[in-house]
Amino acid sequence: MRSNIPKGCEDFDFKEALQFIVDEEEENVEDDHIEDGDGEDNDEESDEEDNGEDNDGEDNEEQFIEELELDENATSFTFNNHIFEITVCALHPHRKMAITTDGEDRVFLWDTVHAQVVQTVLFHRDKIIYLEFCHDGTYLAIGYIDGELFVFKVLPPPVSQPEDCIPHSVHLQKVWQKSTSLLVWLRWHHTAYVLFAGDYTGEVFIFDIQNCDVKLLPREDETSKNGQISHDGKKLLLSYDSKIKLFDIETYKVLWVVKTNTLHKAIACSKYHATYISGGFDGQVNFFNDTGIHGIAQVNGDILFFAFSPSSHSKLVAVCSYLYEESGTRSQITVWDCTTHSLCTSFYIPSRENILCMEWISDYVLLTSTISGDFIAYNLQSASKILTLKGDGVPIYFFKYKKNEHIILTALDNGHAKICEVPMQLITYLMN
């Protein structure tokens, strides 16, 4: 895979970029340091990688990668109470509970230790498109495609019952309900009990759950395709059919609007910085800040996913795009510096390993689920595969990774949800 890194990217110091500090007063200094760096040393390392296989460091890396190539089944256990394809799933942030739905009308709350059903929610018969706990797990939101929204309070177990006792007697209590037009997306605020929703008519709602307050953003005459909340929780990044908009929630004003050539449904906000990104079917990547667009890049194919680096000292973002060729479809991963808009890493994925979902889980490691039903972890610094967890051949369209328990919840189209334990080799690798 290393051979797929484009010319001009071999000298990029990935580790140095991850140490990039976002202090605005030091940005220019840091940019110079990234560009200049240890140029001669990097050139020598690149020559060794390109011209031979005798590089001791790379041999050691390849040996470790080979050790992590496991053929063991990644499944810890399977939850098979659903009949149809599981479309949405979520993990409680601190309790050993998961919630899944097959998209029709049934929602199961179940424990992730014994796969026992704790509670079943069945009262509104339409397709569920959103299912998520709020930041601290106090509330659960359920959104239906017809615009019905429900919020449940996650009740704590009785005082006489230990936290880890399963099953509990009662868990979910409906505390809130609203109706909109056909729902497109729904998001929790990441520090408050506030829901954001967008519908097909172009309306965007802000629901304050605890105060039962509703606000409506200025309407656009086109569908609201996606919405994401900024790192400080004060702004809302919105995608429409032909534009991207940043809205200030506190001042209730539009900060900027940028027109796009095609639909840019893929949008993302950095978790730590005022950095925003969008991408569409034209392969164009737009970089934004609070004042508007400040950079453009181009990738091959249709842009499907973004994943920002989880490091607070980094302004790197991974982009997954699909290339449709005569020989078939394949994925490409590119990593970009959001400050300089420069390409850091690029590599292609074989069609049998096409990516359906991805998450950047440590400084260098990108975890992906594939069309072949496997989990594959990549080292983005070396553009190499470090681990394959074999599944049962069923495509994994969606997954949730719970870092504090080292487990992965998967949603499969055969009606099964699976809890996968992350192998100790990968945990050790992530901690190093």
Side-chain angles (χ1 to χ4, degrees):
M1 249 182 236
R2 188 71 179 172
S3 60
N4 288 328
I5 297 180
K7 292 183 178 179
C9 299
E10 299 92 337
D11 295 342
F12 187 89
D13 194 332
F14 202 97
K15 182 177 290 187
E16 192 170 344
L18 281 173
Q19 297 302 318
F20 183 84
I21 306 298
V22 187
D23 189 336
E24 296 297 330
E25 297 179 356
E26 299 179 5
E27 278 192 356
N28 293 333
V29 177
E30 293 288 349
D31 288 345
D32 293 338
H33 188 50
I34 290 175
E35 291 174 3
D36 297 333
D38 299 323
E40 295 180 1
D41 293 341
N42 287 344
D43 290 340
E44 292 175 2
E45 291 174 4
S46 298
D47 292 341
E48 289 176 350
E49 290 171 357
D50 293 339
N51 299 330
E53 299 179 355
D54 296 327
N55 184 294
D56 292 336
E58 189 154 326
D59 284 345
N60 291 338
E61 182 182 46
E62 291 299 333
Q63 184 176 359
F64 184 57
I65 292 169
E66 184 178 356
E67 180 183 344
L68 285 180
E69 285 286 355
L70 305 177
D71 275 337
E72 63 184 28
N73 192 292
T75 303
S76 175
F77 61 78
T78 300
F79 180 80
N80 54 13
N81 288 49
H82 290 285
I83 301 174
F84 304 105
E85 169 190 353
I86 296 177
T87 54
V88 193
C89 64
L91 287 166
H92 194 276
H94 58 82
R95 294 185 185 172
K96 296 182 184 298
M97 293 194 303
I99 192 156
T100 53
T101 177
D102 53 23
E104 296 303 315
D105 52 20
R106 293 201 304 173
V107 176
F108 288 111
L109 180 69
W110 48 281
D111 79 88
T112 58
V113 178
H114 307 101
Q116 295 180 359
V117 175
V118 175
Q119 188 171 341
T120 303
V121 179
L122 177 60
F123 58 90
H124 183 72
R125 296 185 178 278
D126 210 325
K127 183 178 181 181
I128 297 171
I129 64 170
Y130 184 84
L131 188 70
E132 189 61 79
F133 295 99
C134 67
H135 64 284
D136 63 358
T138 301
Y139 294 104
L140 168 74
I142 301 178
Y144 293 81
I145 195 170
D146 66 355
E148 290 297 314
L149 311 177
F150 299 89
V151 172
F152 296 82
K153 187 166 186 179
V154 182
L155 300 176
V159 177
S160 59
Q161 191 177 46
E163 280 277 348
D164 57 354
C165 180
I166 295 174
H168 303 314
S169 53
V170 179
H171 280 279
L172 302 178
Q173 180 182 33
K174 190 177 75 171
V175 295
W176 183 91
Q177 180 178 353
K178 291 290 180 182
S179 299
T180 67
S181 298
L182 295 179
L183 185 67
V184 179
W185 59 269
L186 190 66
R187 299 281 182 274
W188 275 112
H189 192 280
H190 46 68
T191 59
Y193 304 126
V194 174
L195 271 174
F196 303 88
D199 67 19
Y200 276 95
T201 68
E203 301 279 21
V204 175
F205 301 86
I206 304 177
F207 301 108
D208 185 338
I209 303 303
Q210 288 192 318
N211 297 319
C212 298
D213 187 25
V214 180
K215 288 185 178 181
L216 193 63
L217 271 62
R219 180 176 175 177
E220 298 286 347
D221 293 328
E222 51 188 87
T223 300
S224 174
K225 292 293 187 180
N226 199 354
Q228 298 290 339
I229 297 88
S230 65
H231 72 293
D232 57 5
K234 299 178 181 180
K235 291 171 281 294
L236 188 61
L237 182 67
L238 297 167
S239 166
Y240 295 89
D241 288 331
S242 65
K243 68 189 73 170
I244 304 293
K245 180 168 72 175
L246 188 67
F247 187 86
D248 191 307
I249 302 169
E250 289 191 331
T251 63
Y252 213 67
K253 293 181 179 179
V254 176
L255 298 180
W256 50 256
V257 177
V258 174
K259 291 282 188 179
T260 56
N261 296 326
T262 62
L263 170 64
H264 277 216
K265 186 176 181 180
I267 59 174
C269 301
S270 169
K271 186 178 179 180
Y272 300 102
H273 317 302
T275 303
Y276 319 105
I277 194 168
S278 76
F281 299 129
D282 56 358
Q284 180 173 300
V285 181
N286 293 336
F287 300 93
F288 307 97
N289 55 25
D290 286 342
T291 60
I293 190 167
H294 66 86
I296 295 175
Q298 190 69 37
V299 302
N300 297 322
D302 300 346
I303 297 173
L304 300 184
F305 317 112
F306 292 119
F308 274 97
S309 166
S311 171
S312 60
H313 303 308
S314 168
K315 279 193 174 181
L316 299 181
V317 64
V319 180
C320 176
S321 58
Y322 265 30
L323 289 77
Y324 302 98
E325 304 168 330
E326 291 185 2
S327 58
T329 305
R330 60 174 175 163
S331 311
Q332 183 183 24
I333 295 294
T334 53
V335 179
W336 299 84
D337 187 315
C338 294
T339 303
T340 62
H341 321 128
S342 56
L343 180 62
C344 311
T345 303
S346 175
F347 56 93
Y348 290 98
I349 309 294
S351 59
R352 66 182 180 279
E353 297 174 354
N354 272 339
I355 296 172
L356 299 178
C357 186
M358 70 180 191
E359 183 176 346
W360 196 329
I361 61 174
S362 76
D363 281 353
Y364 306 131
V365 179
L366 184 75
L367 182 63
T368 69
S369 63
T370 72
I371 195 169
S372 59
D374 301 332
F375 282 103
I376 300 179
Y378 296 94
N379 184 317
L380 294 180
Q381 184 181 24
S382 60
S384 57
K385 186 190 302 183
I386 58 173
L387 174 69
T388 299
L389 294 177
K390 291 293 184 182
D392 54 9
V394 180
I396 303 173
Y397 289 99
F398 191 74
F399 73 86
K400 289 283 188 177
Y401 171 63
K402 195 171 184 179
K403 183 177 181 180
N404 59 342
E405 293 182 22
H406 300 299
I407 61 172
I408 305 169
L409 171 64
T410 67
L412 305 178
D413 63 2
N414 63 357
H416 293 168
K418 295 188 176 183
I419 293 291
C420 306
E421 296 178 352
V422 177
M424 186 55 63
Q425 294 98 320
L426 182 57
I427 296 174
T428 303
Y429 189 87
L430 295 175
M431 295 176 64
N432 288 338

